[in-house]
């Protein structure tokens, strides 16, 4: 049985972590480097950093914020937001990232996936995708870009399959409908992605209680789960620790890396 991973995802605005519900009403949480230290010390398995306004503002990624976070963590560290070409990828990796996430730019220029995979290896390229259940595509799910604000008309599952064929070594799939709602993952969506993909799948959007993680890992083949709201959302009356979640998962027969 493959070991599952728990991932903290930082939605960054001006060097600070924020939390939103369905990509709206972002609440300030903490400086990115401070929260990165806390998550690393808590034994989180991986960290994803998204400069969430870079694409919509048509600017480069906040490379100084990437450097500050990279100095604080010694676990797999994925970075995305405003990455447009191989030069941006190289600069982001040089700043301390281990993997590059592409999202809106990949929709506009799919070849960036292939170029990145050829230059740095597929294991370095993560295709992150924001999708919504609109009923306007064959799968029922549609890809959105620019901070989940712009509908593309692309079928979510077909887009994931294309990203995989172009060389993405991992897929991060986020449900806009469930994002930040604490209501659980969209298991229907994740199962559809499971069936279509052979590369590892990161599930995102909706985790609020440990049972949501259990259901995801026991009912789908997702290899990892983003659990940001559970760890540090100001909207939760009680935040969980990484140890809380790992203990619960181990008690429910989910293979997870133990706390050191």
């Amino acid at each position: 049985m493959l070991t599952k991973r728990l991932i903290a995802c930082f939605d960054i605005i001006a060097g600070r972590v924020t939390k939103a519900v369905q990509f709206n009403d972002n609440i300030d949480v903490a400086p990115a480097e401070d929260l990165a230290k806390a998550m690393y010390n808590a034994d989180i398995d991986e960290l994803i950093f998204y400069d969430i306004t870079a694409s919509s503002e048509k600017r480069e990624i906040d490379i100084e914020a990437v450097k500050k976070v990279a100095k604080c963590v010694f676990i797999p560290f994925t970075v995305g937001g405003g990455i447009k070409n191989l030069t941006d990828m190289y600069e982001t990796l040089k700043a301390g990232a281990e993997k590059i996430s592409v999202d809106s730019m990949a929709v506009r220029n799919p070849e960036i996936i292939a170029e990145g995979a050829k230059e740095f290896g597929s294991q370095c390229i993560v295709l992150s995708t924001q999708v919504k259940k609109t009923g306007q595509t064959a799968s029922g799910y549609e890809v959105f870009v620019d901070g989940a604000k712009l509908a593309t008309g692309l079928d979510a599952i077909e887009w994931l399959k294309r990203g995989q064929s172009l060389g993405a070594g991992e897929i991060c799939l986020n449900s806009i409908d469930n994002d930040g709602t604490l209501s659980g993952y969209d298991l229907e969506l994740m199962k559809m992605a499971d069936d279509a993909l052979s590369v590892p799948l990161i599930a995102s959007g909706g985790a609020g209680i440990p049972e949501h993680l259990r259901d995801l890992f026991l009912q789908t083949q997702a290899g990892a789960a983003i659990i940001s709201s559970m760890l540090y959302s100001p909207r939760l009356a009680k935040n969980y620790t990484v140890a809380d979640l790992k203990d619960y998962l181990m008690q429910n027969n989910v293979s997870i890396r133990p706390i050191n």
Side-chain angles (χ1 to χ4, degrees):
M1 184 185 297
L2 292 177
T3 301
K4 306 298 185 180
R5 294 168 287 145
L6 300 182
I7 300 176
C9 180
F10 287 4
D11 290 339
I12 302 292
I13 298 177
R16 297 182 67 87
V17 178
T18 67
K19 283 304 301 172
V21 175
Q22 297 174 332
F23 288 79
N24 293 305
D25 302 322
N26 287 71
I27 295 176
D28 182 78
V29 176
E33 61 268 33
D34 291 353
L35 194 55
K37 289 176 188 174
M39 290 295 98
Y40 176 70
N41 290 333
D43 268 334
I44 197 73
D45 296 318
E46 295 191 21
L47 179 63
I48 295 179
F49 172 119
Y50 291 134
D51 186 337
I52 60 172
T53 58
S55 291
S56 60
E57 293 175 357
K58 296 179 172 54
R59 60 170 172 79
E60 295 179 351
I61 194 167
D62 185 348
I63 206 73
E64 291 306 313
V66 174
K67 290 178 180 177
K68 288 179 181 178
V69 170
K71 290 177 181 177
C72 301
V73 298
F74 303 93
I75 51 178
F77 177 38
T78 301
V79 175
I83 293 173
K84 301 179 292 297
N85 49 47
L86 290 179
T87 299
D88 290 344
M89 291 184 181
Y90 174 75
E91 292 299 325
T92 304
L93 292 169
K94 190 169 71 170
E98 291 188 3
K99 293 185 276 188
I100 297 294
S101 169
V102 289
D103 188 335
S104 299
M105 185 54 61
V107 172
R108 294 188 168 95
N109 174 26
E111 284 305 311
I112 194 174
I113 301 171
E115 292 166 1
K118 181 179 179 181
E119 185 73 15
F120 305 110
S122 289
Q123 80 288 342
C124 190
I125 305 300
V126 179
L127 175 60
S128 293
T129 305
Q130 320 303 322
V131 310
K132 191 170 187 177
K133 194 170 188 177
T134 64
Q136 300 299 308
T137 65
S139 69
Y141 292 88
E142 184 176 356
V143 175
F144 280 64
V145 295
D146 294 345
K149 294 177 176 63
L150 180 65
T152 66
L154 285 174
D155 180 83
I157 302 304
E158 291 305 312
W159 171 237
L160 297 182
K161 288 163 62 177
R162 186 178 181 197
Q164 175 180 266
S165 69
L166 285 167
E170 194 165 25
I171 303 291
C172 183
L173 177 58
N174 186 52
S175 164
I176 297 168
D177 299 304
N178 292 39
D179 184 82
T181 64
L182 310 174
S183 61
Y185 298 97
D186 185 335
L187 296 181
E188 176 190 7
L189 171 63
M190 299 307 162
K191 288 174 183 176
M192 291 173 66
D194 277 349
D195 292 340
L197 299 170
S198 57
V199 297
L201 174 67
I202 301 170
S204 179
I209 56 176
E211 288 81 0
H212 294 154
L213 288 167
R214 177 200 64 196
D215 293 346
L216 173 75
F217 288 137
L218 294 182
Q219 296 181 37
T220 80
Q221 296 301 309
I226 286 178
I227 55 170
S228 304
S229 292
M230 300 178 74
L231 298 174
Y232 45 78
S233 173
R235 293 183 171 92
L236 263 183
K238 174 189 180 296
N239 291 126
Y240 295 90
T241 67
V242 177
D244 290 337
L245 299 175
K246 289 191 172 185
D247 286 346
Y248 175 85
L249 289 170
M250 285 188 283
Q251 290 168 15
N252 282 271
N253 300 314
V254 175
S255 179
I256 197 86
R257 185 175 68 86
I259 294 290
N260 290 328

